[in-house]
Amino acid sequence: MGQLDGRVAVVTGGANGIGRACCERFAEEGADVVIADILDEPAMDTIAAVEKRGGRAAYMHTDASSPTDTETVMQHAIDMFGAIDVLVTAAGISTGGYVSGRPGSEVEVERDPIRRFTEGSLADWQHVLDVNLTGTLLAVRAAARHMHDLGRRGSIITIASIAAKHPGAGAPAYAVSKAGVWMLTKQAALILGPAGIRVNAIGPGFIETDMTAVVRGMPELEQRLLASVPLGRLGNAREVANAALFLASDQSSYFTGEMLHPDGGFYTD
Ligand SMILES: NC(=O)c1ccc[n+]([C@@H]2O[C@H](COP(=O)([O-])OP(=O)(O)OC[C@H]3O[C@@H](n4cnc5c(N)ncnc54)[C@H](O)[C@@H]3O)[C@@H](O)[C@H]2O)c1
């Protein structure tokens, strides 16, 4: 018996990194998975990984910041598998220039932080907020509407970050977007709780994915980051997916409006 037997999960950002690990972990526990992402080829690898674990999977090219794309992929999940029981919103970017699948595509980390803050591009700021924050809102709203209409007591899991509560853990637009995701999660938990829909966040620490490749390429910076992590290492995507599995499953049936931190102890002090 799997913990998610017969359930259907939609995972934004499911083509790579933490989102892909969630797809794989959920499939191991019996779920069918719909992947919403913009990385078409890597999404095929996620499909293969889900099928290898005995699950069914579908992919739709979906820009998380597009209301139309988001509505379409949710309807696709209903058409393909009949329901949405679980949503994970893992689609995200660290800076306006970051492109997943091309580690190191963002170079801003090299620049003087005062100049980056005072002269940084407004278009980049908006792009980060569009994908990370508005994208989360769009997915949460669309999935919750289907869950409510179908009478499903679903579980919604947003991916925030330690940066949601700590200004030093990401660039300004990123940290602000994740703080917004955390408040949105609590708002949605309040509003959707009476319908039996639970909404929780995961706030990962430093996880080994394409998003942290630029840090791992700079040993001094990596050492500085690891000094704030009692376990002394980066986390891996599966460790975040295990937290997502807990929140997706009935094991967490009395959790809502909460944020779990797989962060190696970053928040210990
Ligand atoms: N890696 C970390 O250390 C870390 C820490 C805390 C939070 N997070 C968050 O976890 C989530 C996943 O990040 P990751 O580390 O797996 O990075 P990643 O780059 O490996 O994965 C991000 C995924 O989001 C997708 N994506 C990006 N823009 C999109 C868009 N407009 N529409 C649809 N999909 C889009 C990418 O194609 C990719 O599949 C992000 O929200 C990130 O902010 C990551």
Side-chain angles (χ1 to χ4, degrees), residues 22 128 145 187 255:
C22 289
V128 173
R145 187 173 351 97
Q187 283 282 342
F255 279 77

Side-chain angles (χ1 to χ4, degrees), residues 98 102-104 106 207-218:
Y98 173 71
R102 270 195 261 149
E106 74 286 31
I207 309 299
E208 199 170 334
T209 66
D210 284 358
M211 193 172 276
T212 51
V214 69
V215 172
R216 284 178 277 127
M218 303 168 83

Side-chain angles (χ1 to χ4, degrees), residues 18 37 39 62-64 90 98 100 159-160 174 178 205 207 209 212:
I18 290 168
D37 207 301
L39 287 183
T62 307
D63 181 343
Y98 173 71
S100 188
I159 305 293
Y174 184 78
K178 295 300 186 177
I207 309 299
T209 66
T212 51

Side-chain angles (χ1 to χ4, degrees), residues 83-162:
I84 300 172
D85 300 292
V86 176
L87 169 71
V88 178
T89 62
I93 53 177
S94 50
T95 67
Y98 173 71
V99 180
S100 188
R102 270 195 261 149
S105 46
E106 74 286 31
V107 288
E108 288 207 53
V109 77
E110 308 267 15
R111 285 181 56 199
D112 164 17
I114 293 179
R115 291 221 173 280
R116 213 189 312 150
F117 180 63
T118 57
E119 299 170 9
S121 144
L122 206 49
D124 281 358
W125 167 275
Q126 193 59 54
H127 184 40
V128 173
L129 288 174
D130 285 349
V131 175
N132 293 4
L133 181 53
T134 307
T136 301
L137 171 73
L138 294 173
V140 169
R141 288 203 313 189
R145 187 173 351 97
H146 285 294
M147 287 172 179
H148 190 44
D149 288 351
L150 293 170
R152 308 289 276 210
R153 300 175 74 81
S155 174
I156 293 175
I157 301 149
T158 63
I159 305 293
S161 165
I162 50 172

Side-chain angles (χ1 to χ4, degrees), residues 17 34 38 53 57 116 133 150 203 230 239 259:
V34 175
I38 49 176
R53 288 160 173 80
R116 213 189 312 150
L133 181 53
L150 293 170
E239 291 173 311
M259 172 138 63

